[in-house]
Every structure is written in C-alpha cells, then in structure tokens.
Amino acid sequence: MMLVEIVNPYYLQVGSFILINIILGLSIYVTLSSGQLSLGNAGFMGIGAYTSALLTLNFDVPIIVGVIAGAVVAGLFGILVGIPSLRLQGVYLAIATLGFGEVIRVFFVNWESVTKGAVGISGIPHIGREIFMVLKDAGFDPAIIGLKNNQFVFLTVFFVLLLINILLVWFIFRQQNSRIGRAFAAIKMDEKAAESMGINITYYKVLAFVQGALISGFAGALFAHVMSYISPADFSYHRAVEILIFAVFGGSEVIVGAIFGATFLTLMPEMLRFISEYRYMIYGLILLLMMAFRPQGLIDVQVLHWFQKLRLPKRRAEHGSKNQKHL
Amino acid sequence: MRKLFKKPFLSISILMLVLLSACSGKSSETTGEGTSSKEGDVINAKIGVISYITGPGAAYGEAITNGFKLAQKEINDKGEVNINLVIEDSAGKQEEALSAAQKLMSDDSIVALLGPTLSTEMNVVGPEAELNGIPIMGTSTTAEGIPQIGEYVFRNSLPEALAIPTSIKKAVEKNSVKKVAILYGNDDVFTKSGFDTMKKVAEDMGLEIVTIETFQKGQSDYNAQLTKIKGLEPDLILCSALYNEGAVIMDQARKMGVDVPFVGGNGFNSPQVIEIAGKAADGLIVATPWFGDKENPKVQAFNEKYEAEYKMKPDQFAAQAYDALYIMAEALKNAGEADRDKLKEALLEIKDLEGILGKFSFDKDGDVVMDPTVLIIKDGKFKVFE
C-alpha cells in the first residue's frame, strides 16, 4: 500500500529526466576536464538518438544493442570531428563544434527518406514498456509487489537509468584518479608544459573528446527510448547550451558539480510550477546571480573540502573518548 | 583514495533521498483535495490543461488559456456542469509537456486533459495518456496522425489534411489553374506536414507541379526561390509557411511582379500577414475554421466578451480552445458523471454540436469533421472566398 502512494509516475518521470541530464552533464564534464570547450554534445546526442531509434524501429534490434550502437556511432563521429579540430582551442573549438551540431541537425531535417525530416520519428520502443512486456511474458505481475502497471514501467525506467548513472560516475571517478585523468588535468592546466613532460597531447585530447561524444550519444539513445519520440528540434543549439549550463552552473571542476547542476536545473522548473508564467524568469535570475557571484560554479574543490571539514570533527567526537577533545 | 571514491555515491544517494521525501510529501497533498463527484444535478469535474505559457510561442498558450477561461466562466454560470481547470505550463518542450501531463494524470480526480499546444508535444504526451486511459483533446494540434495515436486521443483543431484540400480546390476552380509551384519551410513540423498535404492534393488533382522550393525558419531573403518560380510561370503558388515568413515571401513576390494567388496553410492564416505585408498580402487564400467577421450572433457575442475581458481580438486558437471546453462540457453532461472512460465514450458520440467554429462532430478516430470556411485577402481584409 505504501509503495502505491510513493511511486508516483510524475516524480519518477522527472527523476528519469534528471538522470538523463546528469549523463549529459557528465559528457561535457569529461571534455572540459581536459580543457576543451565543446558545444557539439547536442549533435552527438542526436546521432545517438537517431541511430538507436532507427535501428530498433527498422531492424527490430533489442533496445540495449540499439543504445550501445548509438553511443558507438556518436563516438566514431567524435573521432572524425576530434582529430581535425585538435588545432583549435577555447572559443574557436566551441564555435567549430557548435557548427558541427547544427550541421547534424540540418542533416536530420533534410534526410527525409530515413529520418522523416522535421516531423520526427514517433513510436520508438520505450525501455520501461519493453522490459514490462518481457517480464509479463515470463509470468510476472506487478500486482504481486503492490504496483499498478504504469507505476512499474516508470519504476523500471528510473532504476535502469540510476544503475547506468552509478556505473558511469564510478567509471569517470576512477578515470579521474588514474594516469589518464592526471594527463587530462595536466593538459587543462598548461598544454605546452604537459607536452614537455612527455604527455601525448594528441592522444589524450582526442580521447577526452571522444569520451564526451560517446557519453552524449549514449544519453541521446536513452532519451529516445524514454520519450518514444524524437525530432531534429530536440538537438538544436539550445540543447547544447543547456548541457553546457549543467556543468558550468554546478561547477565544472569537480564531478559532483555536473551532477548537482543537472539535478538542480532540471528540478527547479518543476518545483516552480506553482508560479507558472514567472518560473523561467526566476530560472534566468538564478543563472545571472550565479555567474555574477560564483563564476566557477556552485561547487568547487574548496566547497568540497569545507564539507569534509564540517563532517570530520563531528565523527571524531562521536567515536572518540572525551579526552581527545582537548588535544 | 577510498574516501574520495565514496563521495559521488553519497551525493547521489542524498539527492535520491531528497527526491523521495519530496515525492511522499507532495503526493499526500494532491490526494486530499480530490473531490469530483456528483452533487445534485451539477457534475463537478476537474480538467487538466497543458499549455505553452512561457517561451517564444507563449502568445499561442495565452490565447488558448484565455479561451478556456472564458468558456469555463460561462459554463459554470449555466450551472449544469462545474468545471475546474488545472493549468500547467509546457514551455513548448516535449520533456516538460510530458512531466506536466504525468503530474496531471497522477491526480485521479482529473477526468480529462486539454492540450498540449504543439503537435510535437502531443506526439509524446498522447501515447502516455492512452496508456493511462485518460481522454486528451488537442485544441491546436494540426499535424497528421494525432488522433490515430489511440482511442483516448482527440482534437478539435482543423487538421491541415482537411483545410488545405478545401482551399486548393476552391482556388483551382476559381482561377482555372493548371500549373502550380510549391514553396515550403522544411525544418518545421507544421510547415513540413502542410507541404506533404499540398503535394498530395496537387498530384491527386492532376495539377502540374513546376517546381518545389524550400526555405528555413527565420530566412529573410527569398529572391532566389521566387526568381525561379517567376520564370516557370505557375498559375498558383502553394506556400506552406508560418505567417511571419509567409508575409515576407508575399511581399518580395509582389515586388518582383509575381501576382498569382497564394494558397497557405493554417499557420499562414493570421491578421499579422496583412500588418506585415500590407497590400502585398492581397490574393492569399486560406481555409480556416475560424472567421471572426462572420455574421453569426454567437461569433459576435464571443468577440465582444473576449475583447471586454482581455482587451484584444480573439484569434483562431482562442476560438478553438473556447469550443473545446464546450465540447468537454457537453460530453460530461451526456456521460452523467466525471469518469474517464464514460467521458471518452461520450466524446466519441458528439455530433453536430453548434459552436462558434460551426457544426462540430468527431469521426471514429476522434478527429474533426467540419466544413472549413475559405477566406481570401482582398483590399487588406479577410473576406469569404466565393
């Protein structure tokens, strides 16, 4: 009985969007961590979404294969774009990748025989519903655990995405503290110095770029299978900017920043629904204040340290004897 | 190392906890106020509205919600049905429209949904409403295939597939047309689906299509396409454009000396065309369900009330929304109680309901059956084309 009340499709839906946006935020975080500013993530997202949608619709490929194929194809495009744009830095790279994203969008608009142009593709298999069908055929009924069908569908989507998120965060976190992560950080600090230290800049920069492309393609494919409908307008430059804001708002220096940014910025418009017309004004205002007072993003290394300091003494006081307090 | 490794998990788990606690807190709130029952003879019903209230297309959402509110007031004053509207914003984005729809659908006291504004949004929201078994009616979704999404999906907005053939047929008869040129915006769902209809109708009627030209949203120079069209000397130009681009196209065409009539889709049908293009707008033919200057007492009364309430003239979106709520009210009355499934059945049975757009019926899919009026701009004014 409790479950029925808590498992509200609306909250799960918003939760699913948050999780997808976190993946998108992470995709730009990875490229940013090697000092490259890419605005092509919306384009890569589109490639992932269209690849997976078309494969599952036209060739009856299972969703999981479609999603992986979507990510891989986006990654391949990442290599294609990443190598020639290596020579570009900062704003120039941003403009080149922004151009790439637009090219991809216009391509989807014009390749009508396959993508149905601006009308978009509908009826894409839905992750939750497909899983539900498979389980139902196996004799499982959600009523056993006290859930309605649609609650169960949304719950599965949410947990699938949550699992993917945890794995992804774990991977990026491990990588950050590995040789690759250190190389990224070195390149971000100073490319010339990093090169003279013997770091293969070409390799690492393309690697970071491709990882970003791969992850956004992955997010795009998931997006397609959660929405069941995609159109080229979903991957316009507004999306690219939105993705960038996720990372920049939360703090682009730490991984928690991107996660927080995506969560907060997806949740806020929903939380502010009660003031309807004015909610995007407040959204804009918060962004403005943020950039004025904390240009490095809400969460950075100092904030994390501060949190740690706040926590650690408490723990000691709990576990330690009274004498330790005086030391 | 191990300590660092724990952090993201911790933050995620905290986030999820916060989310979950937010969930439980709010859901109890909404269940408390659900009171849609029959009190005496009055049927109380709560209807959810998803509209495009913030963002670049907010003007549409405003007109639509105004139309709903005006109709709501009148219906509630009559006292047979008492409608409560719960309005949510979609900002023109599919994700937000879906979230808003989920929010409304999870409230069991809401019997039906009106909206969303755009066809792209309906493509996402429609299947979800179908799955949850709640009637949903679009008041401005004109693209192909919307009511075919499912049994619970309706619309009262005249689809392009119905409007465009009527206007083309009338224009062809009147001007003995043999050769047509087509010009359309290929990066917009609305204009693209209008073009598909135009092409099909022209082919079915055996007209010779001399050329098909495209343009993009926000383009300002159409001379290249128009020069080519001028050289081919068509008798009629079929132009699937939204009014802001369409008006500029007409202006440039007239300046170039192309004086054949234009046939436009629903998005071309706006008083703004005359404002932007001035005299150049003469000769634009559109089919529309809504004609504000119609000499019908109902239409005139609506015009007056709307202007008194909102200080501006109603457009077709306001009119369609106004009629939509009347259709809902009629169906609720026939259903006898506020029940999602009974309401769906009652909606399907709506026949020849007299509204400000004319006589209205649903076909078996939940699509519109009505006769559009064909209008032409003459001397800077919309007039009935006969």
Side-chain angles (χ1 to χ4, degrees), chain B residues 114-127:
Chain B
L114 287 166
T117 306
L118 306 177
S119 297
T120 45
E121 295 173 325
M122 189 53 132
N123 269 324
V124 174
V125 174

Side-chain angles (χ1 to χ4, degrees), chain A:
Chain A
M1 275 295 119
M2 267 285 286
L3 265 177
V4 179
E5 272 165 34
I6 293 174
V7 183
N8 180 325
Y10 169 53
Y11 300 118
L12 290 174
Q13 183 86 68
V14 176
S16 305
F17 286 143
I18 290 175
L19 291 171
I20 289 179
N21 284 341
I22 288 178
I23 303 180
L24 286 170
L26 291 175
S27 78
I28 203 155
Y29 167 78
V30 173
T31 23
L32 278 174
S33 72
S34 71
Q36 301 179 89
L37 176 56
S38 159
L39 287 177
N41 291 36
F44 293 122
M45 185 187 168
I47 293 173
Y50 268 91
T51 308
S52 185
L54 291 172
L55 281 177
T56 46
L57 271 179
N58 297 337
F59 301 102
D60 284 331
V61 171
I63 291 181
I64 184 160
V65 179
V67 170
I68 291 168
V72 169
V73 173
L76 291 177
F77 270 91
I79 298 176
L80 280 179
V81 180
I83 292 175
S85 51
L86 258 182
R87 296 160 58 101
L88 303 172
Q89 277 179 334
V91 180
Y92 304 103
L93 179 68
I95 292 173
T97 45
L98 189 64
F100 163 77
E102 280 298 287
V103 168
I104 291 296
R105 188 183 63 82
V106 172
F107 181 74
F108 289 143
V109 166
N110 286 298
W111 196 20
E112 279 175 20
S113 55
V114 176
T115 63
K116 291 191 198 152
V119 175
I121 302 176
S122 50
I124 302 168
H126 187 272
I127 299 180
R129 283 172 222 156
E130 294 288 310
I131 293 177
F132 175 63
M133 287 302 185
V134 171
L135 287 178
K136 207 175 165 192
D137 287 341
F140 173 78
D141 184 9
I144 299 172
I145 47 171
L147 288 175
K148 287 189 217 154
N149 286 357
N150 71 331
Q151 285 177 325
F152 180 75
V153 166
F154 284 101
L155 207 61
T156 29
V157 173
F158 185 78
F159 279 114
V160 166
L161 290 175
L162 188 63
L163 185 72
I164 291 170
N165 263 273
I166 291 173
L167 290 175
L168 199 65
V169 170
W170 176 69
F171 167 76
I172 293 175
F173 211 80
R174 289 294 299 235
Q175 175 174 276
Q176 206 173 34
N177 295 316
S178 72
R179 198 162 56 100
I180 299 170
R182 306 253 188 264
F184 285 172
I187 293 170
K188 187 183 182 183
M189 289 284 189
D190 190 328
E191 245 186 85
K192 287 277 175 309
E195 193 169 20
S196 63
M197 298 276 289
I199 293 171
N200 184 348
I201 302 193
T202 315
Y203 172 74
Y204 285 111
K205 277 179 85 173
V206 174
L207 182 69
F209 194 86
V210 171
Q211 280 189 352
L214 196 90
I215 298 171
S216 34
F218 188 60
L222 292 171
F223 176 80
H225 292 291
V226 169
M227 295 292 283
S228 298
Y229 169 79
I230 49 170
S231 74
D234 293 335
F235 311 109
S236 67
Y237 106 101
H238 291 284
R239 176 81 65 184
V241 173
E242 202 181 70
I243 297 172
L244 180 67
I245 294 175
F246 289 153
V248 173
F249 179 88
S252 55
E253 285 167 16
V254 285
I255 187 166
V256 189
I259 297 171
F260 174 77
T263 311
F264 185 78
L265 293 175
T266 321
L267 207 55
M268 193 173 52
E270 291 300 327
M271 299 285 237
L272 293 177
R273 271 198 183 280
F274 64 95
I275 46 169
S276 62
E277 286 103 327
Y278 304 104
R279 63 196 180 116
Y280 274 94
M281 277 182 218
I282 291 181
Y283 185 99
L285 201 68
I286 289 179
L287 284 188
L288 202 75
L289 291 175
M290 212 26 232
M291 287 302 108
F293 295 108
R294 278 194 77 83
Q296 75 275 41
L298 208 57
I299 300 175
D300 60 2
V301 182
Q302 273 90 22
V303 174
L304 286 181
H305 280 308
W306 184 70
F307 262 114
Q308 265 167 352
K309 270 182 203 152
L310 210 70
R311 261 195 349 235
L312 287 178
K314 260 189 186 172
R315 247 187 221 168
R316 271 184 206 142
E318 274 170 23
H319 298 294
S321 66
K322 273 186 181 176
N323 288 346
Q324 261 175 318
K325 257 188 180 175
H326 302 291
L327 290 173

Side-chain angles (χ1 to χ4, degrees), chain B residues 33 40 43 52 61 83 135 177 224 261-262 286 293 295 336 343 368 374 377:
Chain B
E33 56 187 55
I43 300 163
Y52 191 168
I83 292 177
V177 171
F262 274 67
V286 289
D293 293 333
E295 285 180 15
L343 181 62
V368 181
V374 181
I377 300 181

Side-chain angles (χ1 to χ4, degrees), chain B residues 45-241:
Chain B
K46 226 158 129 188
I47 294 180
V49 175
I50 307 162
S51 197
Y52 191 168
I53 304 173
T54 55
Y60 298 116
E62 197 192 339
I64 290 168
T65 41
N66 284 349
F68 284 141
K69 283 180 192 157
L70 195 63
Q72 182 199 12
K73 225 162 108 192
E74 290 178 24
I75 293 167
N76 289 356
D77 281 348
K78 265 188 205 161
E80 287 172 299
V81 185
N82 190 29
I83 292 177
N84 227 327
L85 294 178
V86 185
I87 299 173
E88 290 290 350
D89 175 32
S90 72
K93 295 180 191 159
Q94 285 104 287
E95 299 105 294
E96 290 230 6
L98 189 57
S99 301
Q102 291 292 4
K103 187 175 183 189
L104 294 170
M105 284 187 289
S106 60
D107 180 350
D108 287 329
S109 63
I110 287 179
V111 283
L113 297 180
L114 287 166
T117 306
L118 306 177
S119 297
T120 45
E121 295 173 325
M122 189 53 132
N123 269 324
V124 174
V125 174
E128 213 43 59
E130 173 72 17
L131 204 75
N132 285 318
I134 180 166
I136 181 165
M137 178 153 73
T139 67
S140 55
T141 45
T142 53
E144 281 262 25
I146 297 283
Q148 284 76 23
I149 290 172
E151 287 178 59
Y152 288 86
V153 185
F154 297 82
R155 72 165 153 209
N156 84 324
S157 46
L158 194 70
E160 297 285 64
L162 202 67
I164 287 172
T166 322
S167 49
I168 294 181
K169 262 172 212 153
K170 214 148 197 184
V172 167
E173 273 169 33
K174 217 61 204 161
N175 300 314
S176 56
V177 171
K178 287 192 185 68
K179 293 196 288 185
V180 294
I182 305 181
L183 183 61
Y184 77 103
N186 70 345
D187 59 349
D188 185 89
V189 191
F190 192 80
T191 53
K192 168 71 173 55
S193 109
F195 158 73
D196 290 338
T197 315
M198 284 178 174
K199 186 162 171 257
K200 194 169 160 285
V201 173
E203 277 165 1
D204 288 350
M205 289 177 73
L207 300 168
E208 184 195 341
I209 301 173
V210 289
T211 177
I212 295 173
E213 298 292 320
T214 61
F215 63 86
Q216 276 80 45
K217 216 184 259 179
Q219 193 171 325
S220 55
D221 180 14
Y222 304 91
N223 282 310
Q225 291 95 323
L226 289 168
T227 312
K228 190 172 171 200
I229 290 175
K230 193 189 176 195
L232 294 163
E233 293 180 340
D235 306 316
L236 183 71
I237 297 172
L238 308 178
C239 182
S240 182

